[in-house]
Amino acid sequence: MALPRITSPHTTGSNRTQRVMLQVLAATLPGVAALTWIYGAGTLINLIWASAVALACEAGVLKLRQRPVGFFLRDGSALVTAVLLALALPPYSPWWLTLIATAFAILLGKQLYGGLGQNPFNPAMIGYVVVLVSFPVEMTTWPIPHVVGLGAGLQHILGVTSLPDGWAQATALDVLKVNNSLTIDELWANPAFGHFGGIGSEVVNLAFLAGGLFLLHKRLFSWHAPVGMLAALALMSLVFWNGSGSDSHGSPLFHLLSGATMLGAFFIVTDPVSGATSTRGRLIFGAGVGVLVYVIRAWGGYPDGVAFAVLLMNLCAPTIDYYTRPRTYGHRKAERGFKLGE
């Protein structure tokens, strides 16, 4: 007896989880290339080590939960978490720092809630915040562009030697945060910094912007969350911009091309699981992240606030979805609930 044929309205699509994750990984390649060109092989070492730790942690938990290990590892979600986290960490981070961040991202940020599709917080940002709060010195020490040696970098990663003199520096956001007497003009007079967000940060942010536009072209997400974040961040920095004096928090272009702005806008706030799901909700979610990023950068205790902003808005995502629910077909307004007996 032949099985009944399944007809419309059922449809199929090609955007399986593995395919989506592979496209996200491909979109990070411009950023990986920019980081490697500027800082050397440190980013590649971070990527390889974080990926190995993420896959090992994922496999171990799946084994304990008696789930098919190979099936879930092949979806690529653990690998994407590891790559995004490794890209956010400073190049040549100590091996134990990357280990702790990645393990917390997979175990606490993802598997604790049941795995892919059930995590209320972005796993990569969970891991990043854990090490940022616990090891602030290591997390705010970046190598000077084009001065890094592979041998010295590997020795630092493995803990054999400490950082060579003149090998590391703070980022432009760090300098602007801790040195209140420094003007913007004096900051740009340092050849280690560029004209807008730091010579390394400018190129890296533009590279992640290119990768994000590729994902938009592939329609892996809508424009609402990234545009909401970037527009809100630019507006906040424009409103509170005091020129180039020592009390300036930086121009809109400075904030758009500094820190993890573009990585956050196109690879973090677009997470379909931990972010808002409705169209208006994504716009509000992104705008909230942009506002919080500026607030933390300008008046908070950390130079860059992308991770904290994303996690705070992850808490708000269910409420945002509740109040931005699309109108139910046939009703004048969206249903907010039901009465007993209806």
Side-chain angles (χ1 to χ4, degrees):
M1 179 178 173
L3 293 175
R5 182 180 177 183
I6 299 177
T7 58
S8 58
H10 306 287
T11 60
T12 60
S14 60
N15 274 348
R16 296 185 304 166
T17 301
Q18 185 186 60
R19 180 184 177 87
V20 171
M21 297 301 171
L22 289 176
Q23 289 180 332
V24 173
L25 290 175
T28 63
L29 291 179
V32 173
L35 284 167
T36 304
W37 173 65
I38 295 169
Y39 297 110
T43 299
L44 297 178
I45 298 172
N46 284 356
L47 288 172
I48 295 171
W49 177 229
S51 299
V53 172
L55 293 175
C57 291
E58 183 102 329
V61 175
L62 290 172
K63 191 71 173 177
L64 290 175
R65 297 176 59 199
Q66 298 182 348
R67 300 296 176 89
V69 176
F71 174 80
F72 286 103
L73 286 184
R74 283 193 296 271
D75 66 19
S77 59
L79 201 56
V80 167
T81 297
V83 168
L84 294 180
L85 178 57
L87 292 175
L89 295 175
Y92 299 101
S93 295
W95 68 269
W96 50 265
L97 184 78
T98 307
L99 171 66
I100 294 172
T102 308
F104 269 92
I106 298 297
L107 301 177
L108 184 63
K110 180 182 178 184
Q111 290 296 334
L112 180 65
Y113 299 100
L116 179 65
Q118 303 183 61
N119 49 284
F121 302 98
N122 186 281
M125 294 299 96
I126 287 285
Y128 184 87
V129 164
V130 166
V131 291
L132 178 61
V133 173
S134 304
F135 311 103
V137 174
E138 289 79 4
M139 287 295 291
T140 54
T141 302
W142 282 66
I144 294 177
H146 306 301
V147 182
V148 180
L150 178 59
L154 282 173
Q155 291 178 1
H156 172 62
I157 290 174
L158 297 175
V160 177
T161 60
S162 59
L163 292 176
D165 292 338
W167 185 79
Q169 68 169 11
T171 65
L173 285 172
D174 295 315
V175 174
L176 201 61
K177 169 67 67 175
V178 301
N179 196 338
N180 295 328
S181 62
L182 188 69
T183 67
I184 297 292
D185 293 335
E186 291 172 339
L187 180 64
W188 301 149
N190 187 332
F193 299 115
H195 298 289
F196 304 114
I199 189 170
S201 186
E202 293 170 8
V203 177
V204 171
N205 273 280
L206 290 175
F208 282 123
L209 172 61
L213 294 178
F214 166 77
L215 294 179
L216 274 176
H217 173 70
K218 291 294 184 179
R219 298 185 179 180
L220 263 64
F221 52 78
S222 67
W223 57 267
H224 300 84
V227 169
M229 174 184 167
L230 297 178
L233 178 59
L235 180 61
M236 288 288 292
S237 55
L238 180 63
V239 170
F240 294 99
W241 184 24
N242 296 326
S244 59
S246 59
D247 59 343
S248 175
H249 299 298
S251 66
L253 198 55
F254 172 83
H255 284 280
L256 291 176
L257 297 179
S258 293
T261 299
M262 295 300 172
L263 177 66
F266 291 99
F267 294 89
I268 304 298
V269 302
T270 53
D271 182 8
V273 178
S274 58
T277 57
S278 64
T279 300
R280 284 189 301 155
R282 294 190 195 102
L283 194 61
I284 296 172
F285 180 87
V289 172
V291 170
L292 288 173
V293 166
Y294 184 81
V295 169
I296 295 171
R297 286 180 178 179
W299 303 295
Y302 291 91
D304 198 358
V306 172
F308 290 106
V310 169
L311 294 179
L312 288 172
M313 289 307 296
N314 286 158
L315 286 171
C316 304
T319 303
I320 293 173
D321 277 339
Y322 180 81
Y323 285 104
T324 59
R325 187 179 304 167
R327 180 176 65 85
T328 306
Y329 183 77
H331 293 262
R332 293 196 186 123
K333 60 181 179 178
E335 294 292 338
R336 299 299 180 195
F338 62 90
K339 295 180 181 179
L340 188 64
E342 292 185 346

